[in-house]
Amino acid sequence: MKAVAMPTVSRVAVCGGTHGNELAGIYLVREMLKKRADGTEPVSVVTVMSNPRAAQLCVRYVETDLNRCFTRAALSAPVSETSPYEMVRSQELNALLGPKASMQAVDLLCDLHNTTANTGLCLITYSDRDWICLHICKHLQARTNTKMASTPVRYVHFDIPLNEAYSLDSVGKHGFAMEIGPQPHGVVRSVIFSAMQEGVQLMMDWICQFNSGTLFEGGWVDVYTMVKNIDYPRDSETHVITAAVHPDLQDRDFCLLHPGDPMFLCFSGETLRYRGKEALYPFFINEGAYYEKGVALSLARKRRVQIPSVRSETLR
Amino acid sequence: MSSRTNISCLQEAKRVAIFGGTHGNEMSGITLVNMWIQNSAEIERNGLVIKPFISNPRAVEKCTRYIDTDLNRAFTPENLSAPDVEGLPYEVQRAKEMNRMFGPKGSSDAYDAIFDLHNTTSNMGSTLILESSTDLFNLQMVHYIKKAMAPHTCSVLLNEHPQLKYSTTRSVAKHPIGLEVGPQPQGVLRSNVFEFMRTILKHALDFIELFNSGVEFPPCTVDVFRVQERMDYPRDTNGNITAMVHPHLQDCDWEPLNRGDPMFLTFDGRTVLYEGANTVYPTFINEAAYYEKQQAFMTTCREILAANAIRKACK
């Protein structure tokens, strides 16, 4: 593949507390906000607490999930005093860090999240050919001998067009959610905090090197593309769940799920199995916030994506 | 050594309640109780009235720990005797209502036994929580459960501490037992945690049925962890935490913590060591609900409690 020249990543946003009970990002943003910029930073970084009211209350959201409020429709909807807090806030964040899909948007938006699922570190984006995001992923995957070394790093792709992309990271020209699990909501685990801190540091290191003209060699990255969600089995009348994620599937994010493999263990003792025809990769297995969204787990297809060498185009 | 046997004759335990959803986001108990309200076959026992009950339905509806105040701290004498006025916190109203249904606390009309089902984000495994070191019925029950669950470990936490003991939902009963199973995130149902709790309850009800049928339980001893102290996170002047539970302590509930062992790791990478003189056994390490209660973990010391033989009192 031919090397690609790309614009420098001059303006970066790091956001935490998009969900107010995902504590690693909240504490990391608080620590970053304490350090005053002294003008010598090679990259301009804006650090944002996305949902301060939810963070104060240590809840996911106050009225509605902020991380679903960034579709084009939501960002252009008229807001008033009676609008849900998060609908107002998403437009504020869009004005600050966007506007989405415009030339004024930040070059890269990294949105920090935690999950109760055993996902390791995932960069979650809407594109499978964003070379900046893919190279950052490759850079994180290559680190050895660090605190993060035991945390797997993966690239997850939701194939949704930009207009319908609903999360905060879609506001930047490039963007991803940096999602790390497992961590219960309302808890900060030091291993998870350290992995996130290091992930952000490695991302910044890559951006600085990229901006100063380093050529990053191309290669291959495994991309997990979301195919479908699976809900819990529910009682047809009451809609109450009738099973838990099967012990053989629990915590096995990104381990291939084959047709016939156990998926749910009913309270009655029956095992329900995966009935799909295609072996797929499960992730977000038993995420606490997804019960209300009707998602027990998501399933993805994996493929190897070739990425070109890249270098910033401003260097002569 | 005296060869005279000492058997305590105790009243039959006829009325038993199982509480789920005392905290509305602790899913094992909520799920079990709702299941048993629909179909009680699994929990039925001869000669026993067993009532499964959702303690805090409004909190369960919102999948939150509590609405106004923690129900599991609300059963104080002040709250229970508060007049019925408007504006009482929801959980105080609820405590009064439950005291009428299952108590009154401290009276002979109170339910005989109440099992209160909880989950924790801490790595406590299966834990049975006692409030008294002299409740023979409870000690014998806990001994029975531990034996029945083996080789799966059930730890026993004894909270008899004058300042740290709190007025639990289950305390309206003559014999209150807390079941605490973790680790499980709030709002999440893990199959293994659910099944452990279900099995513990099965053994508990078996014990009561056997006891009521006249079976004599021989003298026994129970290894317990007695609550000593609450340890908070290091905080700044604004009350924000400045450190996290150290990776060496995280998930090490019930393991010895000695002077000089790492305890906290500050956000800027500095280790804070445990300075206590004696070895302690920490528990409730990094429980989500305790950040607001100023508790990173609790220290305990190991003790062996002895219980007399017991049998049902003859009429």
Side-chain angles (χ1 to χ4, degrees):
Chain A
M1 265 177 119
K2 216 169 149 262
V4 172
M6 300 190 69
T8 52
V9 180
S10 354
R11 290 169 59 228
V12 175
V14 175
C15 303
T18 300
H19 294 133
N21 54 8
E22 293 176 17
L23 293 195
I26 287 169
Y27 284 113
L28 186 55
V29 158
R30 285 198 186 141
E31 288 302 302
M32 288 171 72
L33 286 169
K34 280 185 198 162
K35 298 183 167 77
R36 310 220 121 257
D38 61 6
T40 63
E41 292 78 22
V43 182
S44 136
V45 182
V46 56
T47 309
V48 182
M49 188 69 74
S50 311
N51 195 338
R53 276 185 60 186
Q56 234 273 300
L57 297 170
C58 197
V59 292
R60 182 177 175 85
Y61 57 80
V62 177
E63 289 175 81
T64 189
D65 192 335
L66 177 61
N67 216 27
R68 300 292 181 276
C69 292
F70 291 91
T71 58
R72 178 203 270 246
L75 291 177
S76 48
V79 290
S80 69
E81 281 137 26
T82 54
S83 300
Y85 168 72
E86 280 87 2
M87 284 288 284
V88 174
R89 186 65 183 146
S90 69
Q91 296 195 3
E92 274 171 20
L93 289 165
N94 190 43
L96 177 69
L97 305 173
K100 175 168 162 171
S102 80
M103 287 311 295
Q104 289 81 47
V106 295
D107 295 299
L108 179 71
L109 197 159
C110 171
D111 188 23
L112 305 174
H113 285 269
N114 292 121
T115 172
T116 59
N118 187 27
T119 55
L121 190 156
C122 293
L123 300 183
I124 308 180
T125 89
Y126 293 102
S127 170
D128 59 355
R129 65 204 64 191
D130 184 321
W131 310 135
I132 301 283
C133 295
L134 283 156
H135 265 278
I136 289 172
C137 183
K138 188 165 170 287
H139 187 68
L140 263 61
Q141 285 172 335
R143 86 277 172 260
T144 51
N145 233 21
T146 65
K147 273 196 214 144
M148 241 184 83
S150 58
T151 307
V153 173
R154 296 185 181 88
Y155 191 97
V156 176
H157 162 231
F158 281 67
D159 192 10
I160 298 176
L162 195 62
N163 274 351
E164 286 154 54
Y166 45 75
S167 50
L168 172 57
D169 53 279
S170 67
V171 169
K173 293 191 185 111
H174 307 276
F176 48 75
M178 182 180 289
E179 180 94 54
I180 309 191
Q183 183 176 265
H185 299 314
V187 161
V188 63
R189 292 175 68 98
S190 64
V191 157
I192 299 289
F193 176 86
S194 299
M196 190 176 267
Q197 190 174 47
E198 193 161 335
V200 169
Q201 191 54 53
L202 286 166
M203 174 187 80
M204 295 307 307
D205 289 346
W206 186 91
I207 292 169
C208 291
Q209 287 186 60
F210 175 77
N211 287 351
S212 40
T214 305
L215 173 77
F216 284 92
E217 286 295 330
W220 296 86
V221 178
D222 283 339
V223 169
Y224 293 86
T225 298
M226 203 290 227
V227 170
K228 63 181 170 185
N229 292 322
I230 309 249
D231 192 6
Y232 291 94
R234 292 174 186 272
D235 180 280
S236 47
E237 280 172 35
T238 62
H239 208 58
V240 165
I241 70 172
T242 55
V245 168
H246 198 281
D248 289 356
L249 177 58
Q250 179 69 54
D251 300 335
R252 300 262 216 284
D253 299 67
F254 301 106
C255 297
L256 192 57
L257 183 71
H258 302 91
D261 283 349
M263 245 187 3
F264 297 108
L265 180 59
C266 297
F267 308 143
S268 63
E270 191 193 343
T271 291
L272 298 179
R273 297 175 181 277
Y274 172 52
R275 293 259 161 264
K277 299 252 176 15
E278 184 188 353
L280 292 171
Y281 291 87
F283 67 104
F284 279 136
I285 300 173
N286 207 350
E287 159 53 51
Y290 287 176
Y291 284 64
E292 69 176 21
K293 298 191 200 297
V295 176
L297 62 142
S298 300
L299 290 171
R301 226 172 252 131
K302 179 173 81 161
R303 68 186 218 283
R304 298 219 85 193
V305 168
Q306 190 176 23
I307 63 175
S309 305
V310 295
R311 135 193 287 154
S312 69
E313 70 189 2
T314 55
L315 197 72
R316 284 162 291 288
Chain B
M1 203 172 202
S2 166
S3 61
R4 187 189 56 176
T5 48
N6 213 346
I7 304 172
S8 297
C9 291
L10 305 175
Q11 221 183 15
E12 204 175 351
K14 290 240 64 154
R15 292 187 305 153
V16 172
I18 303 173
F19 290 169
T22 293
H23 295 134
N25 53 11
E26 294 177 14
M27 304 307 294
S28 304
I30 292 164
T31 308
L32 283 170
V33 163
N34 279 331
M35 199 175 81
W36 290 328
I37 287 172
Q38 287 301 312
N39 182 351
S40 63
E42 194 175 312
I43 55 170
E44 277 163 18
R45 297 288 190 281
N46 281 329
L48 260 182
V49 167
I50 302 183
K51 190 165 172 63
F53 187 80
I54 294 286
S55 309
N56 196 337
R58 278 185 60 192
V60 170
E61 238 265 297
K62 290 183 68 181
C63 197
T64 188
R65 183 177 174 86
Y66 56 81
I67 303 295
D68 294 328
T69 187
D70 194 332
L71 181 63
N72 213 30
R73 304 289 184 277
F75 285 74
T76 60
E78 301 74 42
N79 282 348
L80 296 181
S81 57
D84 279 323
V85 291
E86 257 192 66
L88 274 184
Y90 170 69
E91 279 85 6
V92 173
Q93 290 175 43
R94 192 67 183 155
K96 292 174 62 182
E97 198 182 330
M98 289 177 71
N99 192 40
R100 284 192 287 271
M101 289 177 74
F102 299 99
K105 179 166 164 173
S107 79
S108 56
D109 289 333
Y111 263 57
D112 296 292
I114 295 179
F115 298 94
D116 194 17
L117 308 184
H118 288 267
N119 293 119
T120 174
T121 58
S122 305
N123 189 28
M124 290 167 73
S126 298
T127 300
L128 302 162
I129 307 182
L130 299 178
E131 301 181 10
S132 157
S133 56
T134 54
D135 183 333
L136 297 177
F137 181 85
N138 273 1
L139 286 174
Q140 286 280 0
M141 169 155 51
V142 150
H143 179 258
Y144 178 92
I145 292 170
K146 282 174 65 117
K147 247 177 67 178
M149 292 295 290
H152 176 75
T153 305
C154 286
S155 307
V156 182
L157 179 66
L158 171 66
N159 193 353
E160 220 175 17
H161 192 293
Q163 280 83 49
L164 297 181
K165 183 171 178 157
Y166 44 84
S167 305
T168 56
T169 311
R170 58 189 177 267
S171 66
V172 298
K174 293 172 187 153
H175 305 292
I177 305 102
L179 264 64
E180 187 88 56
V181 186
Q184 181 171 271
Q186 295 168 345
V188 164
L189 185 73
R190 288 179 70 100
S191 181
N192 58 339
V193 170
F194 173 82
E195 297 295 345
F196 280 137
M197 192 176 273
R198 189 181 195 173
T199 308
I200 289 169
L201 235 2
K202 172 196 138 32
H203 293 311
L205 296 178
D206 287 347
F207 169 84
I208 298 177
E209 187 181 31
L210 286 169
F211 173 80
N212 286 350
S213 74
V215 168
E216 180 179 309
F217 293 87
C220 68
T221 60
V222 183
D223 287 351
V224 306
F225 292 89
R226 184 190 279 277
V227 167
Q228 295 291 295
E229 213 185 338
R230 170 203 292 154
M231 301 290 285
D232 192 12
Y233 293 95
R235 291 175 188 270
D236 63 22
T237 46
N238 294 323
N240 296 316
I241 72 171
T242 55
M244 309 164 279
V245 170
H246 195 280
H248 291 179
L249 177 59
Q250 178 68 54
D251 298 336
C252 293
D253 301 68
W254 312 122
E255 291 173 35
L257 181 70
N258 298 299
R259 180 194 215 111
D261 286 347
M263 198 167 53
F264 297 111
L265 182 65
T266 66
F267 291 116
D268 44 27
R270 197 176 41 89
T271 294
V272 179
L273 304 177
Y274 179 64
E275 314 259 75
N278 303 314
T279 299
V280 291
Y281 296 82
T283 190
F284 276 120
I285 300 173
N286 208 351
E287 158 55 49
Y290 290 171
Y291 283 57
E292 70 174 21
K293 297 195 200 300
Q294 280 83 50
Q295 186 177 305
F297 62 96
M298 226 171 202
T299 62
T300 70
C301 63
R302 297 183 71 165
E303 200 170 308
I304 301 178
L305 299 181
N308 284 351
I310 65 170
R311 98 167 151 239
K312 179 180 78 168
C314 308
K315 292 232 165 44

